Amino acid sequence: MSISRDSFHSRIGFVLSAAGSAIGLGNIWGFPTNAANNGGGAFLFVYLVVTLLLALPALFAEIYIGNQAQKNPVSALGEACANRMPRVGRTVGKIGLCGAIMMLSFYTIVAGWMLAHALSAISELAGLAELSAWLSSDSTVRNIIFTPVFILLGAAIVHQGVHGGIEKWSARLMPLLLVMLIGLIVYILQQEGAGQGLAVYLIPDFSQVTDPKLVISAMGQAFFSLSIGVGGMMVYGSYMQKDKDLGKLVLSIGVLDTMIAFLAGLLIIPALFVAQHAGHEIFNNEELIGEGQLIFQILPALFNSMGTVGLIVAAGFFSLLSIAALTSTISSTEVPVSYLVEEKALSRKKATWLVSFIVLCSSMLLVAFFDTLFGLVIRVLTTIFQPLSCLFYFFVVGWIWNRGNKLTDKAVLDNNIYLKLWGNYLRFVCPVLLTIVFINVAFIA
Ligand code: PHE
């Protein structure tokens, strides 16, 4: 079975694919919105600290479990827990599949909005004003059309497999994303009002960094942004050759993800202030107006005020968001697909279509009961599901695996003091830190 298992053909292919999973709507919209809402620079500072102390170790643990097992997340967790609690590992793995489906059910809806806005700008450029107006206004019909379109795009990539699909496309799309982002930043920074936004974003007000709301938002944002806790990173880790220098790879993924979030902030926060300068109201009692919806109101208005160039900028910006969302979608889709292929002997094609169909049904459920379900699913996933999964990963790596601490065992064998420290950090510090976060998120926020 393992002989025919697909894999990444290069380290850079792995890093780009994993970074493609990490970089998505979370970074490009979630991060700047959160930063703008939580004091700009102070948020940026706490986000960096949290990423370093907790999110990167969690990412390491998740990738490590997958990489050691060279199997899908259900088998990987089952194997890691085989000695102590054989059933629990597989059960948690299966619950993880539901997490991936949950993530896809709302993510594909938002990604569909991005796609619609990109097409809206393009159709306006082509002189189709009526179509453009329809594409840029929220409607259930638009969701019913664009969510499936987005699911199909993801499925088309996933069904081509790891090397032919995921690796090839991530490697192509990621650099394109970076170039577009930098181009837009250069453009926006030349507009009036941008300087004020830049100052808010880059100069932290340290009196705010202990604000619990800020800390909790930063932690949630870091977890979602690094795609930890639904098995996507675990399955990518399993496609990587065993025992590569994982620490360095995880660090590269973290740096790329954080860099894109930082750049997105550098684009969006000055853009907000440019909009304000042009007479749009963006803050109400220091809170951003409309939060998640702001992007669909203020930014198109800003782009419109730039004339034809603005349309090109809008098309570029929303295409960029769609691309980022696509590479994130494919990692989550790969979680149940890898399980079905390896454990249920389905062909990759069949598995992809089956998973896409399930995602379609669940996203349509969210569309049908949008007001009740949409926010709820996002909240449950990011504030409960992801932290709990990560806590489990820490316990697996630190305590359960092979009746002891897998990493410190290896450190003793290799006589490696850094590995030993790292192992103990994952074993003792991370679970405690994460429990504190979880209690805060669940009971205080
Ligand atoms: N990290 C992705 C983003 O920032 C979202 C994601 C979460 C992707 C979980 C896969 C798994 O948008």
Side-chain angles (χ1 to χ4, degrees):
M1 183 178 73
S2 58
I3 300 167
S4 61
R5 204 167 185 268
D6 207 350
S7 67
F8 291 116
H9 284 197
S10 64
R11 287 160 68 99
I12 188 74
F14 166 74
V15 169
L16 286 177
S17 306
S21 160
I23 297 161
L25 302 175
N27 304 58
I28 299 189
W29 181 237
F31 177 82
T33 309
N34 262 320
N37 262 336
N38 290 287
F43 183 88
L44 178 62
F45 176 79
V46 176
Y47 180 84
L48 293 177
V49 172
V50 167
T51 299
L52 214 63
L53 291 186
L54 203 55
L56 282 179
L59 179 62
F60 178 89
E62 178 167 343
I63 295 182
Y64 184 54
I65 295 170
N67 186 247
Q68 287 292 307
Q70 299 278 305
K71 292 194 171 96
N72 67 84
V74 177
S75 312
L77 284 171
E79 214 167 74
C81 298
N83 288 336
R84 287 202 170 175
M85 33 187 220
R87 289 251 176 106
V88 178
R90 284 185 69 83
T91 308
V92 173
K94 282 181 190 160
I95 297 174
L97 303 183
C98 304
I101 302 285
M102 256 167 96
M103 177 272 177
L104 289 166
S105 68
F106 72 82
Y107 208 80
T108 50
I109 296 176
V110 184
W113 298 344
M114 301 298 165
L115 214 54
H117 277 273
L119 287 178
S120 165
I122 293 167
S123 45
E124 175 120 35
L125 275 170
L128 305 165
E130 232 171 86
L131 178 65
S132 168
W134 182 79
L135 284 167
S136 64
S137 43
D138 191 22
S139 67
T140 305
V141 180
R142 197 186 67 175
N143 284 340
I144 292 174
I145 295 172
F146 279 91
T147 307
V149 167
F150 197 83
I151 294 172
L152 275 178
L153 279 176
I157 295 181
V158 173
H159 105 251
Q160 292 175 49
V162 175
H163 176 61
I166 298 171
E167 185 173 348
K168 197 166 87 190
W169 282 98
S170 294
R172 279 184 195 168
L173 296 177
M174 291 293 307
L176 186 66
L177 179 74
L178 192 63
V179 170
M180 287 173 91
L181 200 50
I182 292 173
L184 285 173
I185 291 169
V186 170
Y187 180 83
I188 214 79
L189 288 185
Q190 290 167 14
Q191 310 303 311
E192 254 178 274
Q196 196 190 346
L198 212 54
V200 167
Y201 184 48
L202 296 181
I203 305 172
D205 169 3
F206 282 105
S207 69
Q208 291 186 23
V209 299
T210 48
D211 176 0
K213 183 179 156 264
L214 183 151
V215 176
I216 290 163
S217 311
M219 287 186 173
Q221 179 59 39
F223 270 75
F224 188 72
S225 186
L226 280 172
S227 309
I228 320 164
V230 298
M233 288 298 187
M234 197 179 290
V235 75
Y236 277 12
S238 79
Y239 292 139
M240 178 76 192
Q241 237 178 320
K242 212 167 161 173
D243 282 331
K244 287 274 173 186
D245 194 350
L246 280 190
K248 272 192 200 141
L249 299 181
V250 167
L251 203 61
S252 330
I253 297 160
V255 168
L256 282 173
D257 183 62
T258 310
M259 185 178 76
I260 296 278
F262 175 75
L263 289 177
L266 212 52
L267 169 69
I268 306 255
I269 296 185
L272 291 175
F273 283 82
V274 171
Q276 195 177 37
H277 191 83
H280 295 280
E281 212 180 320
I282 54 168
F283 288 103
N284 187 4
N285 283 335
E286 295 187 9
E287 286 274 309
L288 279 178
I289 293 171
E291 240 186 273
Q293 284 168 25
L294 190 79
I295 191 171
F296 306 110
Q297 291 164 8
I298 295 293
L299 290 177
L302 172 74
F303 295 143
N304 277 342
S305 72
M306 297 173 189
T308 315
V309 178
L311 285 176
I312 298 168
V313 177
F317 181 76
F318 287 113
S319 310
L320 179 153
L321 285 177
S322 308
I323 291 167
L326 191 60
T327 51
S328 297
T329 306
I330 55 186
S331 76
S332 275
T333 312
E334 185 62 20
V335 179
V337 166
S338 67
Y339 169 73
L340 291 172
V341 169
E342 287 171 20
E343 303 256 315
K344 301 285 169 206
L346 250 63
S347 70
R348 174 163 273 276
K349 221 179 200 163
K350 266 197 192 136
T352 308
W353 291 121
L354 178 62
V355 171
S356 302
F357 180 71
I358 295 171
V359 172
L360 182 67
C361 295
S362 42
S363 60
M364 286 301 122
L365 201 68
L366 259 67
V367 168
F369 302 98
F370 192 87
D371 293 341
T372 336
L373 286 184
F374 186 75
L376 184 71
V377 171
I378 296 179
R379 213 169 46 247
V380 170
L381 181 77
T382 57
T383 62
I384 299 174
F385 196 101
Q386 290 184 284
L388 280 185
S389 306
C390 290
L391 194 57
F392 186 74
Y393 299 160
F394 284 136
F395 276 119
V396 168
V397 173
W399 298 91
I400 295 168
W401 214 342
N402 290 354
R403 296 185 185 282
N405 184 338
K406 179 101 180 165
L407 268 182
T408 31
D409 286 353
K410 188 169 160 21
V412 171
L413 284 179
D414 297 355
N415 200 11
N416 183 336
I417 177 85
Y418 295 111
L419 202 55
K420 188 157 187 230
L421 272 176
W422 180 234
N424 281 325
Y425 182 73
L426 288 182
R427 188 177 197 188
F428 296 107
V429 183
C430 289
V432 173
L433 269 181
L434 193 50
T435 307
I436 296 170
V437 183
F438 182 67
I439 290 172
N440 275 309
V441 168
F443 301 108
I444 299 174

